[in-house]
Amino acid sequence: MMMDQLQDKYVLILGLARSGEAAARLLIKHGANVVVNEYKPKEELNNVEALEALGVTFVTGGHPPYLLEQNPAFIVKNPGIRYDNPIVLGAIQQNIPVVTEVELAGEILNGTLIAITGSNGKTTTTKLIEEMIAADDKRAFLAGNIGLPACEVAEKVQEDDYMVTEVSSFQLKGTINFKPEVAVLLNIFDAHLDYHGTKDDYVDSKANVTAFQVATDVLVYNEDDPTVKEIASRSKAKPLPFSLQSTLSYGVSLDENKKVIQVDGEPIIAIDKIVLPGMHNLENILAAIAVATTCNINKEAIAHVLMSFSGVEHRLQFVKELNGRRVYNDSKATNILATDKALRAFNEPIVLIAGGLDRGNEFDELVSSLTSVKALITYGETKEKLKRAGQKAGVQSIGLHETIEEAVEQAYEASDEGDVILLSPACASWDQFKTFEERGEAFLKAVEAIQ
């Protein structure tokens, strides 16, 4: 156990950010000698003085090899730092454990750990689970990739509480004994291969959500996804499937008429009473219900959430009705699959705004779902590539712009009453924005500027 007997032991934190700061504070409390190594200069970092006052040492402006010569007990790595970083490579060669801060959170947590992962749908599912637990007057804490460092949140969680944790492949790759009582594996598609290098590494990282579970734990998994099913078959946890395609006698699925969600054959809620749009969200809902029933949440609380929950910020979020057009913010759609699912959520004509960071891929996989698009407005580094995909799909109206503000203005001009204006970029935001949240906020401001 990493958090045992840390007094006076040297621990290296690689990359500060919010997760690194939370890990540093936690490790200091447990008596460790903490060094933070950050490539950025010290003056660009937040809360340095406060951390130094606690006893944290900073080494900034590079990654000097001598940090490993001091033989750290382990390294806590920012999830975004790649494994070809020289410090990480050196640590692996010297058999020094390299983890992400969710590993620390799992060790100190007193309550029930629920961990959700998948290529798409993590945030929506995580938030649904948290709201279902809270609706039954139980305490649930959001943590992890949803924006709250898990080891910071874990300190607040008591024995009867739940920590509902969104975990990415980046975080899970840095785990060595991470054992949630309830793990959720939604789906697996090609994603983040620029980070993982191969799909096998990506899949193996996702599989870590259940790798250390035991027979008393539960794995909620997607029966319709072959890769997920294969991982589930190797898990030691109790399997709890969900399916959109099959009616299950055990697990969560639709009835034979595809109109009612049921658990072990018992009805929970009719689909037409659910507020959240889209078939992909129905998959997330099934997973959330599976977790809620595992946690003994009552049916009334589950149904109440499903009849009121309209989505999370930046994930197919309904913004407003604008002169007869419905506007949706799906800035969190940072890959092709997420945009494909968003497009398939609507029956109305769609004016799509897409574009962002160019990772070198084309958008041919998006062509089949672009056939429902009335107009395609592209911007940023990928605008020409998206234009080619739109032309292959036969989209009649295609616009190219540099900024999201220009794209929103043309999207409105290209739309009519009854249309949907949808930001679903199919790309990461890092060509023009620091985060997808910042991109979504820029979109909302541009929409508000239209009279």
Side-chain angles (χ1 to χ4, degrees):
M1 300 289 284
M2 289 190 162
M3 298 301 293
D4 290 345
Q5 300 177 344
L6 273 179
Q7 189 66 40
D8 296 327
K9 287 188 177 179
Y10 165 43
V11 178
L12 176 62
I13 295 178
L14 190 58
L16 185 61
R18 190 169 178 181
S19 65
E21 180 181 344
R25 291 179 181 276
L26 176 65
L27 291 164
I28 285 288
K29 287 181 183 178
H30 283 257
N33 292 325
V34 177
V35 174
V36 172
N37 176 220
E38 172 62 66
Y39 190 80
K40 294 178 182 177
K42 187 182 288 189
E43 56 268 21
E44 293 184 14
L45 304 178
N46 295 323
N47 299 327
V48 170
E49 291 184 2
L51 290 170
E52 287 181 329
L54 295 174
V56 176
T57 300
F58 281 83
V59 176
T60 60
H63 300 299
Y66 74 80
L67 292 171
L68 293 178
E69 294 173 6
Q70 300 174 37
N71 195 29
F74 58 89
I75 294 174
V76 183
K77 182 183 75 67
N78 182 288
I81 294 175
R82 292 163 55 111
Y83 282 77
D84 56 5
N85 176 282
I87 294 290
V88 177
L89 285 174
I92 292 171
Q93 290 169 358
Q94 296 177 42
N95 294 317
I96 298 170
V98 179
V99 300
T100 54
E101 59 93 19
V102 296
E103 179 75 22
L104 310 184
E107 290 198 12
I108 67 167
L109 184 70
N110 288 320
T112 298
L113 175 57
I114 302 170
I116 302 96
T117 198
S119 298
N120 283 293
K122 296 185 295 295
T123 301
T124 298
T125 305
T126 300
K127 184 61 178 170
L128 276 167
I129 293 168
E130 182 260 344
E131 293 211 3
M132 288 176 181
I133 293 172
D136 199 17
D137 295 325
K138 298 178 181 179
R139 295 214 312 170
F141 294 80
L142 289 173
N145 199 50
I146 202 165
L148 303 169
C151 66
E152 177 184 313
V153 176
E155 294 186 279
K156 307 172 186 176
V157 179
Q158 299 177 11
E159 186 175 353
D160 293 332
D161 299 338
Y162 298 84
M163 189 167 83
V164 189
T165 313
E166 177 186 332
V167 283
S168 69
S169 62
F170 296 3
Q171 291 166 314
L172 287 169
K173 185 173 172 63
T175 55
I176 56 177
N177 194 34
F178 183 68
K179 194 188 80 65
E181 282 79 15
V182 183
V184 183
L185 193 47
L186 295 169
N187 45 54
I188 294 181
F189 305 99
D190 289 352
H192 302 304
L193 299 188
D194 54 336
Y195 180 95
H196 289 280
T198 66
K199 184 173 181 179
D200 285 345
D201 186 77
Y202 176 62
V203 171
D204 289 344
S205 298
K206 288 292 190 186
N208 276 352
V209 77
T210 187
F212 306 102
Q213 286 189 298
V214 297
T216 53
D217 300 322
V218 176
L219 172 61
V220 173
Y221 73 95
N222 187 347
E223 176 75 12
D224 303 332
D225 187 309
T227 305
V228 169
K229 279 187 69 175
E230 194 279 326
I231 293 171
S233 71
R234 295 186 273 117
S235 174
K236 295 178 181 178
K238 177 184 177 182
L240 179 54
F242 65 90
S243 174
L244 280 179
Q245 297 176 9
S246 304
T247 299
L248 305 177
S249 58
Y250 170 70
V252 186
S253 61
L254 306 182
D255 68 346
E256 292 182 355
N257 296 319
K258 306 294 184 184
K259 292 183 178 180
V260 176
I261 297 176
Q262 58 183 30
V263 176
D264 299 343
E266 294 295 320
I268 295 291
I269 189 172
I271 291 174
D272 61 10
K273 292 185 178 180
I274 296 172
V275 174
L276 197 61
M279 186 61 68
H280 66 293
N281 275 325
L282 197 53
E283 190 174 86
N284 302 331
I285 287 166
L286 297 182
I289 291 173
V291 174
T293 54
T294 294
C295 298
N296 298 314
I297 305 303
N298 66 60
K299 291 182 181 180
E300 291 75 17
I302 294 171
H304 170 75
V305 170
L306 295 177
M307 289 188 289
S308 58
F309 182 81
S310 59
V312 298
E313 280 190 317
H314 312 297
R315 165 51 80 202
L316 210 59
Q317 170 195 8
F318 175 68
V319 177
K320 65 186 297 185
E321 185 165 315
L322 180 63
N323 299 327
R325 298 118 168 115
R326 287 190 295 136
V327 181
Y328 288 84
N329 168 25
D330 196 33
S331 181
K332 200 173 188 296
T334 57
N335 58 46
I336 291 171
L337 178 69
T339 296
D340 174 83
K341 288 190 172 184
L343 291 170
R344 297 181 191 279
F346 300 101
N347 295 318
E348 300 89 344
I350 299 171
V351 177
L352 173 66
I353 302 171
L357 180 73
D358 189 350
R359 280 179 159 153
N361 59 286
E362 292 290 333
F363 293 87
D364 292 347
E365 294 176 4
L366 196 60
V367 170
S368 62
S369 53
L370 286 175
T371 56
S372 63
V373 169
K374 173 180 178 177
L376 173 61
I377 315 300
T378 70
Y379 75 97
E381 289 182 358
T382 55
K383 58 182 179 293
E384 293 288 349
K385 290 183 174 181
L386 282 159
K387 175 186 175 181
R388 289 197 289 271
Q391 289 172 333
K392 290 178 182 179
V395 179
Q396 296 299 306
S397 176
I398 301 177
L400 281 73
H401 296 280
E402 293 301 320
T403 68
I404 199 168
E405 290 79 9
E406 295 169 352
V408 168
E409 186 174 343
Q410 189 187 353
Y412 178 76
E413 292 173 357
S415 66
D416 296 299
E417 289 189 21
D419 292 350
V420 165
I421 298 176
L422 170 67
L423 170 68
S424 191
C427 303
S429 59
W430 302 322
D431 61 335
Q432 296 181 11
F433 303 98
K434 293 180 180 178
T435 64
F436 70 82
E437 293 96 338
E438 185 180 293
R439 174 171 62 188
E441 292 301 324
F443 172 71
L444 296 178
K445 288 181 181 177
V447 169
E448 288 301 324
I450 295 175
Q451 300 299 322

